[in-house]
Amino acid sequence: MKNYLKHDEWCIIEEGFHREYNEITESVCSLGNGRMGQRGNFEETFTGKTLQGNYVAGVYYPDKTRVGWWKNGYPEYFAKVLNAANWIGIKVEIDGEELDLNRCEVADFRRVLNMREGYLERSFIATLASGKQIKVYTKRFNSIVDDESGAISYSITPLNFDGKLTLTPYIDGDIKNKDANYDEKFWDEIHRETAFAEGYIELRTKKTGFHVVTGQKFEILQDGKSVDFQSFPIKAEKYVASQVSLDVISGQETTLIKYACNLSSENYAVEELLTAAKAYLAKVAAKGYDTMLAEQAEKWISKWHMNDIVIEGDVAAQQGIRFNIFQLNQTYSGEDARLNIGPKGFTGEKYGGSTYWDTEAYCIPFYMATADAQVARNLLVYRWKQLGRAIENAGKLGFKDGAALYPMVTMNGEECHNEWEITFEEIHRNGAIAYAIYDYINYTDDKAYLAEYGFEVLLGIARFWAQRVNWSIAKKQYVMLGVTGPNEYENNVNNNWYTSYIAVWCLKYAKEAAEYIKSTDSARFAELVGLLSLNEEAEFGKFQHIIDNMYLPEDKELGVYLQQDGFLDKELIQVKDLAASDRPINQKWSWDRILRSCFIKQADVLQGIYFFEDDFDIETIRRNYDFYEPMTVHESSLSPCVHSIIAAKLGDKPRSYEFYQRSARLDLDDYNNDTEDGLHITSMAGTWMSVIKGFGGMRVRNGQIFLNPFVPENWKSFAFKIRFRNNILNIITTSDNVTIENLEGGDITINVGSEAYEVKATSSVVVALGATELA
């Protein structure tokens, strides 16, 4: 665990230049606006440890799958989130000597990510080999107002000399992905051009044919005033730049303001891209840097007004939750239904793909409660639009008759993961997609979604499960063979409890959805029967037989559900008995040793209990938690939040807080030694759930909100806002009471513990030790 970033409520602060951690800090300081993203790289040349990264939403490349032994059913490609043209570059030379923080003495280095207003700033004093000293201050942001643009203010002040300063702002399209399977570059140049103080590159992806035009436009100020200058255009393959040389004197500040844009053929006709980019840059440059920055701050503050979680008394926890919320809002805005939430967002390349089961299991609750319901609906419709591909994916594995298997990893609905135990076996992802439909309707009351879109997806998933099980003569029950659960440290197992349980639930929910549509919109149901070739009696009869006869492994003596058949044959060792030198085991142990061990990468049985907690009594939940938690290494970012929520339900407040801290500060403190590859965006929604569902105890049952809150021991209070149907609520919890403020919407009933309270419109209720008083 690293501990070099300063704790602050609104900022991520690096004081002193930590070269050895630079790639980690680059990830942490990533910026995004839902359309484009940028790692926290330096603008000037840096020859040290760095992972240069710029990303444009929706643009990908189908990199050839790299496996040792090809198997039928393998995807032909592994879709890569593409590293795009580097737009932030500014080459800096002092009397011909290039600024490179890896080759000079650096003092007073400070890098700050301001989350409240959405910008990254950096300052330092550099002493070059010649002895010349300069002070540098930079500030940049990816605009969430003009969301295909970014802007940089880069200031240099000579401290001990007069001389010649040469600035060369550039766009470099000659980039490649670090994770390219065959070291291939994925872009071809289509066009490049320069003009006075501006330049453009148009690149096209190989195979997929996405076009992206990246443009730059700049101005120069000295002592805060605009100056005239001459620029020398430079053009090379996939590269455009403008070189400017200026006379500078000691103590005089020179500032380069650089505007840039990334426009893609996802949003513009190819033949109009270059013209559109020029117009876009002209628009933002006409606004000016200061206006853009002010608009950025205003819009971010508006977002925080709804999305903030306020923690009193714990700066590390406050910083952690705001960092998670900030990155979620940078990654996905919900304004484009074609987009989804990749596990690394705009912060790195690892994992590929843009859509995982993480969206449905972890992210949808965040967006349902903090944004308009249409945002979460868009995420569900995204999957509906890819139902045809899900049916094709199942067909490649031998399934038929409309059975749908949604991909583990995808860009366009087609499976693109290249590990067999994931592609073929981690089929529980189907269940998470069905659960998200239920979760959305339960939260928003948008029951019309079932007839409009939801039932088609539910039936395709149910048909898959009905074909994926088989009847065991020995057990005289249905079994599910050869699967991998959420715990990826066990592959190709039989009867994974979580997978089998959620499969049964999906069959039940598909039947319930059909009955609801039939009773409320018989014409639409008849239409769906014809569209889906549904044989109610035969198919639903089969579903019910599986529901009634599914084998779910458990140990009656221990009173726990078994992760899969044979789990108790393992040597049951607790994580606390592992040597520190063995952690993380995924970086220290062979895969064979991991698979034979009892250690759990992430919640598996507990994931099912989290989803379906009302199916189990409190003692059953406690027994399973007490059994599995000590064997869980949490080497998946998705694990700690589930444990935090269950621990809170069980009254295990210290562990609930501990798991929250691990989730909230996973990347800030680099718990799993992998932050340098990019942030864990989707698990950040799980961190939000740790507060809302864990410490807040929030659930939705029978159309009402239930709260069972507590304040962690070292906190004084915490507060969060949620949208619930037509209301916006602010919920403030202290050790003594809970205040529920009804900020918007009509009267609403809120349950705290076992008591129900009516909260009138634009009023509040304070609940203290079971007593109620109107505020």
Side-chain angles (χ1 to χ4, degrees), residues 213-422:
V213 171
T214 303
Q216 70 170 14
K217 193 177 183 72
F218 65 92
E219 58 188 289
I220 295 177
L221 299 82
Q222 287 190 319
D223 290 332
K225 297 179 181 179
S226 181
V227 297
D228 293 330
F229 59 90
Q230 292 182 329
S231 69
F232 177 74
I234 302 172
K235 290 192 285 187
E237 184 181 359
K238 301 180 185 177
Y239 180 92
V240 294
S242 293
Q243 188 177 86
V244 179
S245 290
L246 300 161
D247 292 323
V248 294
I249 60 176
S250 181
Q252 179 185 57
E253 182 182 70
T254 300
T255 301
L256 185 147
I257 304 292
K258 180 175 179 177
Y259 308 95
C261 67
N262 280 309
L263 271 58
S264 87
S265 55
E266 285 286 87
N267 304 308
Y268 299 85
V270 170
E271 63 273 13
E272 297 172 1
L273 264 177
L274 183 59
T275 301
K278 291 178 179 179
Y280 203 98
L281 268 185
K283 178 187 73 172
V284 297
K287 277 188 179 182
Y289 179 85
D290 290 341
T291 297
M292 289 183 70
L293 184 63
E295 290 177 344
Q296 177 85 345
E298 183 180 2
K299 190 159 183 179
W300 265 111
I301 290 169
S302 175
K303 281 181 176 288
W304 284 115
H305 180 71
M306 181 64 219
N307 295 344
D308 195 15
I309 293 176
V310 180
I311 296 169
E312 186 183 7
D314 188 337
V315 175
Q318 178 69 85
Q319 182 185 49
I321 193 61
R322 282 183 173 146
F323 178 68
N324 284 254
I325 294 169
F326 178 71
Q327 293 295 347
L328 284 164
N329 279 293
Q330 289 199 126
T331 302
Y332 183 76
S333 66
E335 294 175 6
D336 190 335
R338 298 169 300 172
L339 302 178
N340 210 282
I341 307 152
K344 293 295 181 189
F346 295 118
T347 72
E349 303 160 16
K350 190 177 179 182
Y351 297 138
S354 69
T355 311
Y356 287 56
W357 73 290
D358 308 21
T359 293
E360 284 76 23
Y362 294 86
C363 298
I364 278 180
F366 170 78
Y367 291 102
M368 284 193 304
T370 63
D372 185 86
Q374 188 63 43
V375 172
R377 201 177 209 263
N378 282 346
L379 290 170
L380 298 183
V381 172
Y382 175 96
R383 292 290 196 176
W384 173 82
K385 288 180 177 178
Q386 295 180 351
L387 177 59
R389 282 289 178 87
I391 292 171
E392 288 178 16
N393 293 335
K396 291 175 183 177
L397 301 185
F399 296 87
K400 55 187 179 180
D401 299 330
L405 176 60
Y406 277 91
M408 187 66 181
V409 179
T410 193
M411 283 289 191
N412 60 6
E414 187 175 27
E415 177 64 76
C416 65
H417 199 288
N418 62 353
E419 296 177 48
W420 67 270
E421 67 271 24
I422 306 298

Side-chain angles (χ1 to χ4, degrees), residues 656-671:
S656 180
Y657 175 76
E658 177 187 332
F659 291 130
Y660 161 78
Q661 279 288 78
R662 183 179 179 116
S663 181
R665 300 195 61 85
L666 179 75
D667 290 312
L668 292 176
D669 295 336
D670 194 25
Y671 269 91

Side-chain angles (χ1 to χ4, degrees), residues 22 36 69 130 257 292 304 319 327 365 370 422 532 592 608 622 641 713 755 772:
N22 186 54
M36 55 185 272
W69 192 343
S130 62
I257 304 292
M292 289 183 70
W304 284 115
Q319 182 185 49
Q327 293 295 347
T370 63
I422 306 298
L532 303 173
D592 169 72
R622 189 183 307 280
C641 63
E713 185 175 345
E755 298 294 326
T772 305

Side-chain angles (χ1 to χ4, degrees), residues 531-746:
L531 177 68
L532 303 173
S533 301
L534 173 62
N535 183 327
E536 273 190 88
E537 183 177 356
E539 290 197 71
F540 288 174
K542 175 70 177 295
F543 292 180
Q544 191 61 50
H545 197 256
I546 296 170
I547 292 166
D548 294 338
N549 295 280
M550 189 70 183
Y551 170 66
L552 296 166
E554 63 178 307
D555 186 278
K556 300 286 189 182
E557 185 175 339
L558 292 174
V560 299
Y561 304 112
L562 298 181
Q563 287 214 129
Q564 71 273 334
D565 285 349
F567 183 79
L568 294 182
D569 292 335
K570 295 173 178 281
E571 184 180 7
L572 302 182
I573 306 170
Q574 296 191 0
V575 174
K576 67 179 178 63
D577 296 323
L578 278 176
S581 58
D582 283 333
R583 304 287 304 278
I585 63 172
N586 63 13
Q587 296 173 23
K588 301 297 180 64
W589 286 11
S590 70
W591 195 245
D592 169 72
R593 186 180 181 188
I594 289 172
L595 293 178
R596 288 186 287 107
S597 80
C598 68
F599 295 117
I600 299 166
K601 181 183 181 184
Q602 73 179 79
D604 198 322
V605 167
L606 298 185
Q607 180 76 39
I609 288 174
Y610 158 68
F611 273 161
F612 307 112
E613 66 176 24
D614 289 344
D615 292 356
F616 311 101
D617 62 60
I618 195 70
E619 289 309 313
T620 298
I621 295 173
R622 189 183 307 280
R623 284 194 303 273
N624 281 274
Y625 171 81
D626 288 345
F627 182 73
Y628 285 110
E629 188 282 319
M631 292 182 282
T632 304
V633 290
H634 300 292
E635 289 172 12
S636 165
S637 64
L638 301 176
S639 185
C641 63
V642 171
H643 283 252
S644 178
I645 293 166
I646 294 177
K649 181 178 179 65
L650 295 173
D652 188 353
K653 297 177 183 179
R655 296 309 304 278
S656 180
Y657 175 76
E658 177 187 332
F659 291 130
Y660 161 78
Q661 279 288 78
R662 183 179 179 116
S663 181
R665 300 195 61 85
L666 179 75
D667 290 312
L668 292 176
D669 295 336
D670 194 25
Y671 269 91
N672 289 340
N673 295 319
D674 59 0
T675 301
E676 64 186 30
D677 297 322
L679 304 177
H680 298 83
I681 299 297
T682 49
S683 78
M684 291 176 171
T687 304
W688 177 89
M689 291 194 301
S690 295
V691 176
I692 309 304
K693 296 186 175 186
F695 308 151
M698 192 185 89
R699 305 291 190 273
V700 176
R701 300 187 180 101
N702 302 318
Q704 293 185 357
I705 287 179
F706 288 74
L707 299 171
N708 190 24
F710 72 91
V711 177
E713 185 175 345
N714 55 328
W715 295 8
K716 294 180 180 178
S717 68
F718 69 97
F720 59 88
K721 292 188 180 76
I722 57 167
R723 295 177 184 266
F724 179 68
R725 302 185 180 180
N726 296 318
N727 291 84
I728 295 180
L729 306 172
N730 187 37
I731 299 167
I732 307 163
T733 303
T734 70
S735 57
D736 298 321
N737 57 55
V738 180
T739 302
I740 303 159
E741 298 176 343
N742 188 356
L743 303 178
E744 186 175 309

Side-chain angles (χ1 to χ4, degrees), residues 41-45 88-94 99-101 122-124 126 134-140 151-157 165-169 219-222 246 253-258 289:
N41 309 122
F42 299 159
E43 291 87 358
E44 71 276 356
T45 300
I88 68 168
I90 303 171
K91 185 178 179 181
V92 178
E93 296 169 285
I94 307 296
L99 174 62
D100 176 353
L101 295 196
R122 183 168 54 102
S123 59
F124 58 87
I134 57 172
K135 181 172 68 175
V136 175
Y137 174 74
T138 78
K139 181 185 287 187
R140 75 168 182 256
I152 303 168
S153 173
Y154 194 98
S155 299
I156 301 171
T157 304
L165 168 64
T166 302
L167 299 172
T168 309
E219 58 188 289
I220 295 177
L221 299 82
Q222 287 190 319
L246 300 161
E253 182 182 70
T254 300
T255 301
L256 185 147
I257 304 292
K258 180 175 179 177
Y289 179 85

